[in-house]
C-alpha cells in the first residue's frame, strides 16, 4: 500500500513528516515500516530520543536544509549551507580536517538565522545517527544541542539577583549549569543570539568557557547574531571571546528585510 492509499483507508499516518531522518531513510512513507514501531524514529523523537534531547525550539523542530523557510530568500547563504552539510562526514574520519563553525549574521532580525541554525543542527543529528548506524558505531546520546543564549542569560540573572528566594534561585541555577554542560559536551551545538551588550563579566566568562571548550576540542558550533564578528571585541569589551568565536569559522551574512510572521506554522 502507498502512503496515500494507507491514509485513504483510515490507517494511522506514516511518520515521515515528523521525523528528521526522513530524507535519509528508505522506509520513509512506507506504511509497513514508517510507523510507531520504527525504532530509528524512537531513537530520534521519543522522550529520551537524540533529537528530543537537543532542545530545538518548537517552531523550528523539524526544519531541514531543504524545507527551511529561508532557503528561497537567501540563495547565497544556502549554497554555502549545502556545501557545509557535505563536510559532516568528516566526523567519522580522524585524519580529516575538522568541521568548521558557522557564524550567521544580519543586522535585521527575522531573516532566517535561527531557522537555518536549527536546520543545520537537525541535519547534523540525522547525519550522525545514520552515519553511525551504517558503520556499526553507537550514536552519541546527545549529538547536538541548541543553546538559546538569551534564555540562558535570563537563568543566570535569575539566581544572581540580590535576596532571590532559594526556591526561585535553585531551579534557575540547575537549568543554567545543565545547559552549560550540554553545550560544552555536544558534538555539535547552536549558540543562538550572541553578541548582546549587557553580558556581565561572570556571564561572559561562562560563555567563554563553553566556546573555548568547544574550540579546543574541535567541536563545531553555529552561532547566530545581529552583530558581525568584527564588532564583537568592542561589544564584549575584550578580544579573547571574539578570537575564540572566529577560530575556524565561516561568517555568512543574511540579507533583506524581516520575514517574521510571514510563514509561521
Ligand atoms: N526567508 C524567509 N522566508 C519566509 N519566512 C521566513 C524567512 N526567514 C525567516 N522566516 C520566518 O520568520 C520567522 C523568524 O525567523 P528566524 O529564523 O527566527 O529569524 P532570525 O533568527 O534571523 O531572527 C520564522 O517564523 C521563520 O519561519
Ligand atoms: Mg533568531
Amino acid at each position: 500500500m502507498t502512503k496515500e492509499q494507507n491514509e485513504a483507508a483510515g490507517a494511522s499516518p506514516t511518520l515521515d513528516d515528523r521525523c528528521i531522518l526522513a530524507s535519509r531513510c528508505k522506509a520513509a512513507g512506507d506504511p509497513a515500516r514508517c510507523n510507531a514501531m520504527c525504532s530509528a524514529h524512537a531513537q530520534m523523537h521519543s522522550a529520551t530520543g537524540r533529537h528530543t534531547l537537543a532542545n530545538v525550539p518548537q517552531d523550528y523542530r523539524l526544519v531541514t536544509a531543504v524545507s527551511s523557510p529561508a532557503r528561497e530568500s537567501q540563495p547565497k547563504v544556502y549554497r554555502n549551507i549545502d556545501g557545509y552539510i557535505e563536510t559532516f562526514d568528516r566526523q567519522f574520519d580522524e585524519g580529516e580536517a575538522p568541521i568548521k563553525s558557522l557564524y550567521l549574521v544580519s543586522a535585521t532580525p527575522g531573516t532566517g538565522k535561527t531557522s537555518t541554525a536549527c536546520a543545520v543542527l537537525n541535519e547534523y543529528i540525522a547525519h550522525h545517527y545514520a552515519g553511525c548506524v551504517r558503520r556499526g558505531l553507537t550514536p552519541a546520546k546527545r549529538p547536538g544541542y541548541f543553546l538559546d543564549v538569551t534564555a540562558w542569560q535570563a537563568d543566570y540573572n535569575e539566581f544572581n539577583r540580590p535576596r532571590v528566594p532559594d526556591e526561585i534561585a535553585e531551579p534557575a541555577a540547575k537549568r543554567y549549569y545543565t545547559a552549560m554542560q550540554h553545550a560544552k559536551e555536544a558534538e555539535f551545538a547552536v549558540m543562538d543570539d550572541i553578541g548582546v551588550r549587557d553580558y556581565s563579566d561572570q556571564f561572559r566568562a561562562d560563555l567563554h568557557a563553553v566556546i573555548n571548550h568547544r574550540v579546543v576540542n574541535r567541536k563545531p558550533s553555529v552561532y547566530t547574531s545581529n552583530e558581525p564578528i568584527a564588532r564583537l571585541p568592542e561589544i564584549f569589551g575584550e578580544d579573547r571571546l571574539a578570537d575564540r568565536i572566529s577560530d575556524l569559522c565561516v561568517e555568512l551574512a543574511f540579507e533583506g528585510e524581516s520575514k517574521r510572521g510571514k510563514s509561521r506554522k
Side-chain angles (χ1 to χ4, degrees), residues 60 109-110 112-115 192-193 224 226 260:
Y60 310 116
K113 300 182 299 295
T114 301
S115 321
D192 191 45
D193 248 329
T224 79
N226 295 331
R260 202 152 274 189

Side-chain angles (χ1 to χ4, degrees), residues 62-75:
L62 294 169
V63 66
T64 64
V66 173
S67 74
S68 166
R71 184 172 194 92
E72 210 174 311
S73 58
Q74 309 289 343

Side-chain angles (χ1 to χ4, degrees), residues 3-171:
K3 178 177 166 71
E4 289 70 28
Q5 287 166 335
N6 182 59
E7 275 162 35
S12 25
T14 55
L15 301 178
D16 48 314
D17 60 355
R18 66 201 88 158
C19 183
I20 58 162
L21 297 174
S23 69
R24 292 172 170 79
C25 180
K26 288 202 190 78
D30 173 358
R33 296 192 285 164
C34 187
N35 56 41
M37 303 298 287
C38 175
S39 69
H41 179 267
Q43 298 272 342
M44 290 299 116
H45 298 293
S46 72
T48 56
R50 289 166 176 82
H51 179 267
T52 311
L53 296 181
N55 194 39
V56 182
Q58 188 61 28
D59 280 351
Y60 310 116
R61 216 169 67 85
L62 294 169
V63 66
T64 64
V66 173
S67 74
S68 166
R71 184 172 194 92
E72 210 174 311
S73 58
Q74 309 289 343
K76 228 167 53 202
V77 169
Y78 272 78
R79 274 198 294 281
N80 281 291
I81 296 287
D82 291 344
Y84 179 66
I85 288 168
E86 283 175 22
T87 69
F88 284 173
D89 250 349
R90 293 181 190 171
Q91 69 186 285
F92 300 111
D93 191 344
E94 295 269 317
E96 281 263 22
I99 299 169
K100 288 188 178 167
S101 292
L102 293 181
Y103 190 91
L104 312 181
V105 60
S106 68
T108 3
T111 54
K113 300 182 299 295
T114 301
S115 321
T116 303
C118 291
V120 173
L121 177 61
N122 286 339
E123 297 285 354
Y124 186 91
I125 296 168
H127 198 94
H128 174 80
Y129 180 79
C132 284
V133 169
R134 208 172 330 112
R135 291 169 176 84
L137 305 168
T138 309
K141 199 75 218 89
R142 192 187 311 266
Y145 188 69
F146 183 97
L147 182 68
D148 177 340
V149 177
T150 309
W152 191 49
Q153 185 191 14
D155 278 339
Y156 183 87
N157 293 340
E158 198 154 305
F159 67 86
N160 283 292
R161 258 186 297 208
R163 290 189 295 281
V164 48
D166 282 355
E167 68 268 25
I168 305 285
E170 271 167 27

